[in-house]
Amino acid sequence: MMDNKFTTPVPTDSELEILQVLWQNGAQTVRFVNETLNKQKPEKEIGYTTTLKFMQLMLDKGLLTREIIDRSHIYSPAIPEEKTQEQLLNGFVNSAFRGSASSLVLRALGNGNTTQAELEKIKALINEIEQNK
């Protein structure tokens, strides 16, 4: 989904799975991505041609880049993982929490699944943010 030519495309859930394989493993062939996806979810096998079609569409959308080396098509993410995460998170906060990041954080921390180590990291992040203001 793109608002104008300067907007970064938002990946679908399936596209995000492909991007995660590439962010984790670096530039790869369609075959590698397909095999990795099938190892991750053996109960839901994805055909090679389906993965190929997704990656071709992602190339057209600007989510991937492609380099041809010795007749092999090597795909790479066009957008860094952090930028994609930020974009997805901002969209989620805007749609589900009316733009309130604090509501998101309070809901996430209030679920009772936060470990002591995670709380310490959160405290350190809050201290860092306060010191930089």
Side-chain angles (χ1 to χ4, degrees):
M1 164 179 4
M2 292 176 59
D3 297 328
N4 61 45
K5 66 182 180 179
F6 302 110
T7 303
T8 305
V10 177
T12 64
D13 290 345
S14 296
E15 292 169 342
L16 196 54
E17 288 178 358
I18 290 169
L19 285 168
Q20 288 170 343
V21 170
L22 295 172
W23 286 324
Q24 232 175 11
N25 299 285
Q28 296 293 337
T29 63
V30 174
R31 181 149 323 279
F32 178 90
V33 172
N34 182 253
E35 289 172 357
T36 302
L37 291 172
N38 284 326
K39 285 178 194 168
Q40 292 173 351
K41 293 185 179 179
E43 72 284 352
K44 185 182 165 194
E45 187 162 330
I46 303 163
Y48 173 85
T49 55
T50 301
T51 303
L52 173 63
K53 186 65 178 169
F54 267 105
M55 292 176 74
Q56 288 171 335
L57 291 170
M58 291 171 72
L59 179 68
D60 292 343
K61 285 173 68 174
L63 291 168
L64 296 179
T65 61
R66 179 179 63 197
E67 188 176 355
I68 301 172
I69 302 172
D70 296 330
R71 296 182 53 187
S72 292
H73 293 232
I74 310 297
Y75 291 84
S76 301
I79 303 157
E81 183 175 16
E82 296 77 20
K83 183 169 174 67
T84 302
Q85 288 172 339
E86 182 179 319
Q87 179 184 17
L88 291 169
L89 182 59
N90 287 340
F92 180 69
V93 168
N94 287 332
S95 64
F97 294 93
R98 295 185 190 100
S100 172
S102 63
S103 293
L104 168 69
V105 171
L106 291 171
R107 173 70 61 194
L109 294 177
N111 71 9
N113 295 329
T114 310
T115 67
Q116 190 61 41
E118 290 170 327
L119 289 173
E120 293 302 323
K121 284 183 182 179
I122 292 166
K123 288 176 189 175
L125 178 61
I126 291 169
N127 288 335
E128 183 181 319
I129 291 169
E130 288 176 341
Q131 289 174 2
N132 289 332
K133 287 198 173 194

